[in-house]
Amino acid sequence: MALERTFSIIKPDATRRNITGKIISKLEEGGLRVVASKRIRMTKDQAEGFYAVHKDRPFFGELVEFMMSEPVVVQVLEGENAIAKNREIMGATNPAEAAPGTIRAEFAESIGENSVHGSDGPDTAAQEIEFFFSKDEIVG
Ligand code: DAT
Ligand code: MG
């Protein structure tokens, strides 16, 4: 399979605990390469826009507030089968269900504050990368 790109966020619970390096190490050890990265404070518009697919879910307000609560690190990851590989390294949404050794099993605090985001398919990966990065910010 050709090289693929996916979009990743290191979430506020992780920047707050100063464990961005530990998370990036897991991604790199799993064969992914960071080809774009920036630390930002998400605006309300960005958080609501990014998670618009969840706007009717009961946790939406909490999710948006959480994503704005501390800085995040947005990243583009590249590698063979990067979308599925990133999801595998992240582990299940609920850390109680995440496989041992995954980022969420080791670091996530709860289902809501679960340390990382990763795109769930090729279409969302492309949309999410474009939402946060211009082409010249991605250096493969
Ligand atoms: P994922 O982040 O694994 O792709 P998702 O797309 O279903 O999971 O949900 C997006 C985020 O919304 C998730 O990372 C944390 C939050 N979330 C999901 N389900 C939740 C729940 N039942 N209670 C609180 N927050 C939840
Ligand atoms: Mg998702």
Side-chain angles (χ1 to χ4, degrees):
M1 193 185 171
L3 280 185
E4 189 175 64
R5 285 178 175 170
T6 191
F7 177 73
S8 160
I9 305 178
I10 302 177
K11 293 185 178 180
D13 64 284
T15 62
R16 177 169 44 77
R17 286 176 288 150
N18 201 26
I19 55 170
T20 60
K22 288 183 177 173
I23 288 174
I24 293 166
S25 289
K26 289 258 191 207
L27 299 170
E28 290 180 341
E29 283 159 13
L32 299 173
R33 180 179 296 270
V34 179
V35 295
S37 174
K38 55 190 172 188
R39 183 176 172 97
I40 61 166
R41 176 73 82 137
M42 263 199 209
T43 64
K44 191 165 184 120
D45 279 354
Q46 282 176 318
E48 287 180 346
F50 182 74
Y51 277 124
V53 65
H54 295 304
K55 68 179 185 322
D56 297 325
R57 309 281 287 278
F59 56 80
F60 181 67
E62 203 179 299
L63 175 60
V64 167
E65 288 304 314
F66 169 60
M67 293 303 289
M68 295 167 58
S69 67
E70 298 275 348
V72 298
V73 179
V74 291
Q75 308 182 102
V76 180
L77 307 176
E78 186 178 85
E80 295 286 328
N81 209 13
I83 297 168
K85 173 57 76 176
N86 183 39
R87 297 290 307 195
E88 184 188 319
I89 299 165
M90 288 164 57
T93 308
N94 184 349
E97 293 165 9
T102 60
I103 291 170
R104 283 166 164 171
E106 290 202 8
F107 303 123
E109 305 207 292
S110 66
I111 189 168
E113 306 204 356
N114 59 8
S115 305
V116 278
H117 166 84
S119 309
D120 59 12
D123 294 346
T124 49
Q127 283 160 19
E128 291 173 359
I129 289 170
E130 201 180 302
F131 193 87
F132 283 105
F133 288 100
S134 60
K135 282 210 160 46
D136 65 345
E137 289 177 308
I138 305 169
V139 184

